[in-house]
Amino acid sequence: MMNNISVITMFFLSGLSETMKYKFTLFSLTLLCYCLIFLVNVSVIVTIILDKNLHEPMYILLCVLCINGLYGTTGFYPKFLWDLLSPVHVISYSGCLVQAQVMYSFACSDLSILAVMAYDRYVAICQPLEYHSIMSKKRLIKLACYSWLTPFCIMGINVFLTSRLKLCSPYIARLFCVNWIIVRLACYPAETTVNSIVAYMTIIIYVFHGLFIVLSYMILIRTCVNSKENRAKFMQTCVPHLTSLITFLVTILFDVMNMRMRSSDFPQPLQNFIAIEFLVIPPIMNPLIYGFKLTKIRNRILGVLTFKTKLCMY
């Protein structure tokens, strides 16, 4: 067995095995989806960077959220598109660990950014006179770095612990590499105890992020009930954030349940859809929700489009 373990340098991704007869249709739809994700996120990022009127904490955090969306989807779509055109779906051992790191540091970063955005809205509505002193440029940079670096380091620890395991199988029944699925391939379950402890600690950390967001919104709603001005501010800036949060949590919840419950009774295509929801819905919905709901961004994008349309007419 030890000899077999030592030669596992590649993983075989078997998630596509039941859908390869539709590979060209899937390729076209996936490419269209990735192009849409890239277009809408880059549009919001460029709009915020170029317009100095949008250099405010709320918009900068939205920019950070969109950049994170591009980071996460880049870890999946190029490889998936290649697999759709390839007869063999393989990934190197190191590439698999890198993909697992990217995918789930992206997911954890999304929740961290949404938590920071909830804090920003809480300060803006509940402490408006102190908003600019609390959400200073220096603090904003620290919060943005926290929302990126902390999840990256936490997932790095999870992936590092996985890299020390002796594996007995190179087969992953998914479209992409997932840290917990790799852990299941360990030859000796006793060796995965530390992995399980760290994984559950990670889940607890991000459950607290979710609770923090819920608590923030409970306070915000209570504050806004008796003030017409605060209600208008809540509807304008908090509803998009709340929609993004619900979208993200629902997609992640389905993915975690799919992994932890060993849902082998579900058809493979359904498992695939559940697995990639968080890589399709939030990266598209976040920039669209904010782009249409936040007046400054909507007006700026529409202004640019109108200007380009007039130039083309001339």
Side-chain angles (χ1 to χ4, degrees):
M1 182 177 290
M2 290 300 291
N3 290 334
N4 290 335
I5 295 167
S6 64
V7 295
I8 294 181
T9 57
M10 304 285 288
F11 286 104
F12 296 87
L13 304 173
S14 59
L16 274 173
S17 57
E18 294 184 18
T19 54
M20 284 310 290
K21 58 184 176 180
Y22 307 111
K23 65 180 181 178
F24 293 112
T25 303
L26 281 172
F27 179 85
S28 301
L29 291 173
T30 303
L31 182 61
L32 179 64
C33 182
Y34 187 42
C35 289
L36 179 61
I37 288 170
F38 186 83
L39 178 64
V40 294
N41 281 279
V42 168
S43 297
V44 172
I45 292 165
V46 171
T47 300
I48 292 171
I49 290 173
L50 295 182
D51 192 341
K52 291 184 177 179
N53 293 323
L54 298 176
H55 291 183
E56 299 173 13
M58 179 176 66
Y59 299 108
I60 292 171
L61 290 171
L62 172 58
C63 186
V64 171
L65 186 67
C66 291
I67 292 170
N68 189 59
L70 291 177
Y71 160 72
T73 52
T74 301
F76 169 71
Y77 283 96
K79 175 68 173 71
F80 182 59
L81 288 166
W82 176 264
D83 283 344
L84 285 169
L85 298 180
S86 175
V88 182
H89 311 131
V90 297
I91 187 169
S92 67
Y93 178 84
S94 57
C96 192
L97 293 181
V98 169
Q99 189 178 55
Q101 166 74 12
V102 170
M103 304 285 274
Y104 285 91
S105 61
F106 148 71
C108 293
S109 289
D110 245 24
L111 192 55
S112 292
I113 295 164
L114 290 170
V116 173
M117 293 174 84
Y119 174 70
D120 172 73
R121 291 300 84 205
Y122 164 77
V123 175
I125 292 175
C126 298
Q127 298 175 280
L129 299 179
E130 302 169 29
Y131 177 70
H132 290 291
S133 60
I134 294 174
M135 293 301 293
S136 62
K137 184 178 179 181
K138 187 176 179 180
R139 177 166 291 181
L140 185 61
I141 292 170
K142 286 181 179 179
L143 290 171
C145 290
Y146 155 78
S147 63
W148 267 336
L149 296 178
T150 304
F152 190 85
C153 292
I154 289 174
M155 288 311 303
I157 293 169
N158 281 269
V159 171
F160 170 75
L161 290 172
T162 301
S163 69
R164 68 187 177 82
L165 298 175
K166 296 178 176 66
L167 306 179
C168 277
S169 172
Y171 295 98
I172 297 175
R174 299 276 288 206
L175 299 175
F176 54 88
C177 293
V178 179
N179 188 60
W180 189 248
I181 303 295
I182 302 171
V183 171
R184 283 187 193 167
L185 302 177
C187 296
Y188 311 111
E191 290 184 350
T192 66
T193 303
V194 177
N195 296 72
S196 297
I197 292 170
V198 174
Y200 283 115
M201 286 175 64
T202 302
I203 291 170
I204 289 168
I205 288 169
Y206 288 98
V207 165
F208 276 110
H209 278 61
L211 292 175
F212 171 79
I213 296 170
V214 170
L215 180 62
S216 299
Y217 271 96
M218 288 174 66
I219 297 171
L220 281 171
I221 291 169
R222 189 177 64 184
T223 304
C224 295
V225 166
N226 299 319
S227 169
K228 188 176 181 180
E229 182 183 347
N230 282 341
R231 280 202 302 272
K233 192 183 290 186
F234 180 87
M235 293 300 294
Q236 178 67 28
T237 63
C238 295
V239 169
H241 177 258
L242 198 55
T243 307
S244 295
L245 174 67
I246 292 169
T247 302
F248 174 78
L249 289 179
V250 169
T251 55
I252 287 294
L253 181 63
F254 274 113
D255 186 47
V256 171
M257 289 172 63
N258 185 41
M259 275 194 296
R260 296 281 167 168
M261 294 175 66
R262 299 175 181 262
S263 49
S264 54
D265 293 338
F266 294 153
Q268 187 64 48
L270 178 59
Q271 290 187 54
N272 290 343
F273 177 74
I274 292 171
I276 65 169
E277 270 185 312
F278 78 104
L279 292 160
V280 177
I281 300 172
I284 292 176
M285 292 299 291
N286 288 342
L288 288 179
I289 290 167
Y290 282 100
F292 283 111
K293 187 65 180 174
L294 297 180
T295 308
K296 285 186 179 181
I297 293 180
R298 183 174 68 246
N299 291 345
R300 178 64 177 169
I301 292 175
L302 290 175
V304 171
L305 291 174
T306 303
F307 178 72
K308 286 186 176 181
T309 303
K310 288 180 178 178
L311 282 179
C312 291
M313 290 175 67
Y314 285 114

